[in-house]
Amino acid sequence: MLKCEGFNFAGSIKLKAARSMVDDAERTGLVGPGSTLVESSSGNLGVALSLIAASRGYGFICVTDSRCTLGARQMMQALGGQVHVVTTPDPVHGLLGARIRHVQELCASRSDVHWLNQYDNAANWRAHYQWTGPEILSAFPGLSVLFVGAGTTGTLMGCARYFREYRPSVRIVAVDVVGSVTFGGPSGSRMVPGLGTGVRPGLLDESFVDDVVMVAEPDTIRACRLMARSGFLFGGSTGTVVGGAVSWLTRHPLDPSAVAVAISPDLGDRYLDTVYQDQWVTDIYGPTVLEDVPTAAV
């Protein structure tokens, strides 16, 4: 089963983290009238925070990089947010390291700016402990396995902590992308925004994770394209999670009565100029990536 988070008003699961982090900042007095929120984001959290900031009267600055899709940047700007695009990677921590440095420089130069810091903010994972985990368990009380993509690991940690407390028999499988350093792998080029990171997330506690599946980006592209051929247009992160889930289930067959759920972070409309654009795909991954994907029926 696939839990589709792309149907909320911000178009992704990040609306939950955005609301939780802003609520927490307001409750603790870190933001108030005249405040400007700033965050490093590859796209979806930036859109969600643009929406929250506009609805509550705050300014918002998103620091992103060249992998952020044009659609996400335009949505942030339409909602009143500013978008700063970083193009030069940090020599050690890549584009994410450069984005974080830019955020820190903004905070040092402006007293009205508050960095929510999704990478090390407990309100990020608490959103999924409070909402996502209970939603899944309510719908599937007999759940056996949960597949969760790993980016900041907020969704992963919140769901894992919830199930450890309320249904410890559920197996938590993290899905990450090849080139991400989250689970100790070597850093590598990643072109699909969403999952993976060049800096190990401060939120991650691997003791809550039962297994990890690493997915190469060409397999992400294939999974997205195959789902689209059946009428399901999902984002790159969903392609990674579904690809990882299928791979894991192939190696660990479940009883026919067992229930497995994967979390789909967003839909595919923001990826039409990347994941679903043939020229972009072949330029980056080569023409063979699309050879195993059937063409649309005539």
Side-chain angles (χ1 to χ4, degrees), residues 197-222:
T197 182
V199 180
R200 183 180 167 88
L203 298 177
L204 178 63
D205 182 343
E206 291 187 61
S207 69
F208 287 93
V209 178
D210 296 303
D211 207 351
V212 177
V213 179
M214 303 298 294
V215 178
E217 283 194 342
D219 292 327
T220 292
I221 301 297
R222 293 187 187 99

Side-chain angles (χ1 to χ4, degrees), residues 1 28 31 90 108 115 130 138 184 209 222 230 232 261 278-279:
M1 307 299 291
T28 55
V31 300
D90 178 89
W115 179 24
Q130 179 180 357
S138 175
V209 178
R222 293 187 187 99
S230 296
F232 299 98
V261 170
D278 288 356
Q279 191 62 55

Side-chain angles (χ1 to χ4, degrees), residues 76-91:
M76 287 185 265
Q77 292 166 336
L79 288 163
Q82 299 179 47
V83 181
H84 295 189
V85 181
V86 172
T87 57
T88 304
D90 178 89

Side-chain angles (χ1 to χ4, degrees), residues 190-202:
R190 292 173 290 107
M191 296 304 296
V192 179
L195 301 185
T197 182
V199 180
R200 183 180 167 88

Side-chain angles (χ1 to χ4, degrees), residues 2 14 40 45 61 76 80-81 107 114 117 157-158 175 182 185 191 213 222 231-232 251 274 277-278:
L2 198 62
K14 291 294 187 177
S40 160
L45 182 64
I61 301 171
M76 287 185 265
C107 292
H114 174 69
N117 192 5
M157 287 293 96
V175 182
T182 300
M191 296 304 296
V213 179
R222 293 187 187 99
F232 299 98
R251 290 180 283 110
T274 54
Q277 215 285 327
D278 288 356

Side-chain angles (χ1 to χ4, degrees), residues 64-79:
T64 188
D65 58 58
S66 53
R67 294 171 298 183
C68 180
T69 65
L70 176 61
R73 295 201 301 268
Q74 290 175 328
M75 290 182 72
M76 287 185 265
Q77 292 166 336
L79 288 163

Side-chain angles (χ1 to χ4, degrees), residues 38 100-115:
V38 63
I100 291 174
R101 185 174 66 249
H102 186 83
V103 169
Q104 292 169 334
E105 290 169 354
L106 280 172
C107 292
S109 64
R110 291 180 53 175
S111 60
D112 65 318
V113 168
H114 174 69
W115 179 24

Side-chain angles (χ1 to χ4, degrees), residues 206-261:
E206 291 187 61
S207 69
F208 287 93
V209 178
D210 296 303
D211 207 351
V212 177
V213 179
M214 303 298 294
V215 178
E217 283 194 342
D219 292 327
T220 292
I221 301 297
R222 293 187 187 99
C224 286
R225 294 297 190 99
L226 284 167
M227 287 188 288
R229 292 295 180 262
S230 296
F232 299 98
L233 193 71
F234 287 110
S237 297
T238 301
T240 301
V241 174
V242 169
V246 170
S247 172
W248 190 93
L249 290 167
T250 299
R251 290 180 283 110
H252 304 85
L254 298 181
D255 184 273
S257 63
V259 176
V261 170

